[in-house]
Amino acid sequence: MTIDNFSKDFPLISQYTYANTAASGLMYESLMEWRQGHDIDFLIGGSKFRESLDVQLAEIRTAVANFFDSEFENTLLTPNFSFALKVFINGIDKDKSVLLLEDDYPSVNWPFSSSGFKSVSFAEVNQHLEQNIKEAFAKQQPDIFAFSIVQYLNGIKLDLNFIKDLKKEYPDTIFVADGTQYSGTEKFSFKESGIDVFGGSGYKWMLSGYGNGYMLFNKEIVSQLYPVSVEFEPQKEAFQKGKNHLMCHFEPGHIDTLNFGSLLYSIEQFNEIGMDAIEAHLASLAKHAKEKFTGLELLSETVTERKEHSTIFNLKVTPKIMEALKERNVLFSLRGSGIRVSFHIYNAIKDIDKIANILKHK
């Protein structure tokens, strides 16, 4: 399957220029049909439909682990990233110093800031982001460094080679990464990344709908989480005995096969297209958009002076231009001090050119 063929599966883009994946990825027809079939099976099967639950969940967990290159037993299925991060924070010793990024996604920063850690400090997000982080580490090595790989406000993307090297320099720091605005945009190896905890929600760039997420753990971190509960595991009930230490905390109660089956379905589509092709397509969109928006003087120096960027951009425009975009059926978000546009697999160069032509009249 090619990107062009896959893009035909999204009916909304025939009516709108969709530049809002950073807020919500689109539903597509074949996924909708799969979801309808899933619910029909539940309708006519009742509890019998769930008799193969262990097999279904193993298939989903395997697909997620393979997609992100992580260990099967340390790959967790969670309703969303925000929930999983709170569970992580609740289970770790608070006598630790934490480094965060200024104005990072609230679901990343707020739980750490409000949970009583020994100290919480911030690195500034600008064109010198990596240098700012390095200086913060040199000033006082944090016990935990938590960050979004791609910043939701302006699309600034952390250099993952820098993260990998930084982890080698500071192996005792726990690196916690939010991949919600990153996963599904390029190839990623958790094992090779230097990141200890990596999570995300599937409703944005993974195009999996709502109610599904994932959390991956370096095996060295597992023993630091909820150490007191280990003596009570495995639990006595037969249906609980298959759960390992992480699953006992991050996967309580039922797991919805509709939502997580949707994540599996989208991973299969991405694998069929090939992440190399998706990565190359998005890189071309990012390059073209940055050139267009820079030429129109709509981007901050924080973005224009960096070598690489994601496909998320924050543009300084007037209310009149916002209305013009809406009138021309461009979907975007209001974020920070401007409008945020974002481009994914179903977008093309012509979408960026259309937006740029409207913005020329700023």
Side-chain angles (χ1 to χ4, degrees), residues 76-201:
L76 282 300
L77 306 176
T78 71
N80 55 64
F81 171 79
S82 302
F83 167 83
L85 185 63
K86 286 288 287 182
V87 176
F88 168 78
I89 289 173
N90 287 340
I92 199 161
D93 179 19
K94 302 302 183 295
D95 188 28
K96 296 182 184 297
S97 59
V98 181
L99 176 65
L100 305 171
L101 302 182
E102 287 184 354
D103 297 320
D104 204 342
Y105 196 57
S107 287
V108 176
N109 283 1
W110 183 78
F112 283 104
S113 299
S114 63
S115 294
F117 282 95
K118 181 174 67 177
S119 67
V120 177
S121 58
F122 296 85
E124 184 179 359
V125 178
N126 58 25
Q127 58 267 47
H128 310 297
L129 174 58
E130 288 78 10
Q131 184 60 33
N132 297 341
I133 294 169
K134 195 165 186 177
E135 290 175 1
F137 266 77
K139 184 178 180 181
Q140 180 183 2
Q141 178 185 346
D143 298 308
I144 299 173
F145 173 38
F147 56 93
S148 294
I149 294 175
V150 173
Q151 293 297 297
Y152 83 107
L153 282 175
N154 54 19
I156 285 181
K157 177 184 170 187
L158 260 171
D159 183 343
L160 287 178
N161 287 323
F162 164 79
I163 293 296
K164 186 175 180 179
D165 292 340
L166 189 66
K167 176 63 177 180
K168 290 179 182 177
E169 189 174 353
Y170 297 96
D172 294 332
T173 296
I174 301 171
F175 284 54
V176 181
D178 172 17
T180 301
Q181 296 287 14
Y182 168 75
S183 300
T185 65
E186 65 182 29
K187 263 187 174 180
F188 174 73
S189 171
F190 177 65
K191 291 177 183 176
E192 301 296 325
S193 68
I195 295 169
D196 298 294
V197 183
F198 175 86
S201 297

Side-chain angles (χ1 to χ4, degrees), residues 182-360:
Y182 168 75
S183 300
T185 65
E186 65 182 29
K187 263 187 174 180
F188 174 73
S189 171
F190 177 65
K191 291 177 183 176
E192 301 296 325
S193 68
I195 295 169
D196 298 294
V197 183
F198 175 86
S201 297
Y203 70 96
K204 297 190 180 192
W205 305 89
M206 293 297 292
L207 305 178
S208 304
Y210 291 82
N212 60 76
Y214 41 88
M215 206 76 164
L216 321 176
F217 291 87
N218 181 328
K219 62 183 178 180
E220 306 301 328
I221 300 303
V222 176
S223 61
Q224 298 186 42
L225 295 173
Y226 296 96
V228 175
S229 74
V230 173
E231 63 179 291
F232 301 99
E233 302 163 10
Q235 298 179 57
K236 296 177 181 178
E237 294 81 0
F239 61 87
Q240 297 276 25
K241 288 185 177 179
K243 290 189 173 184
N244 64 24
H245 178 57
L246 290 176
M247 292 175 193
C248 285
H249 296 282
F250 288 85
E251 297 182 1
H254 75 274
I255 294 179
D256 186 1
T257 52
L258 175 69
N259 293 334
F260 286 100
S262 298
L263 178 60
L264 169 62
Y265 190 90
S266 282
I267 286 175
E268 290 173 342
Q269 308 314 301
F270 281 31
N271 287 340
E272 188 174 344
I273 296 168
M275 284 309 299
D276 287 336
I278 293 172
E279 183 175 338
H281 178 73
L282 296 186
S284 69
L285 294 180
K287 182 175 183 294
H288 187 74
K290 187 177 180 182
E291 289 173 355
K292 284 285 186 179
F293 299 148
T294 299
L296 293 170
E297 299 181 343
L298 295 171
L299 299 175
S300 67
E301 288 184 355
T302 297
V303 172
T304 58
E305 293 186 11
R306 288 180 64 82
K307 291 181 180 179
E308 292 187 19
H309 193 74
S310 70
T311 61
I312 302 173
F313 298 86
N314 198 295
L315 310 176
K316 306 170 189 175
V317 302
T318 64
K320 182 180 177 181
I321 292 298
M322 290 186 203
E323 289 305 313
L325 289 167
K326 292 177 183 178
E327 289 172 3
R328 295 284 300 277
N329 292 331
V330 178
L331 298 182
F332 57 89
S333 293
L334 297 177
R335 290 291 186 277
S337 59
I339 67 166
R340 185 184 65 187
V341 294
S342 48
F343 307 101
H344 199 18
I345 190 171
Y346 32 66
N347 291 113
I349 295 295
K350 65 180 177 63
D351 296 327
I352 297 167
D353 289 342
K354 174 184 173 179
I355 293 172
N357 287 332
I358 298 171
L359 296 173
K360 282 180 181 178

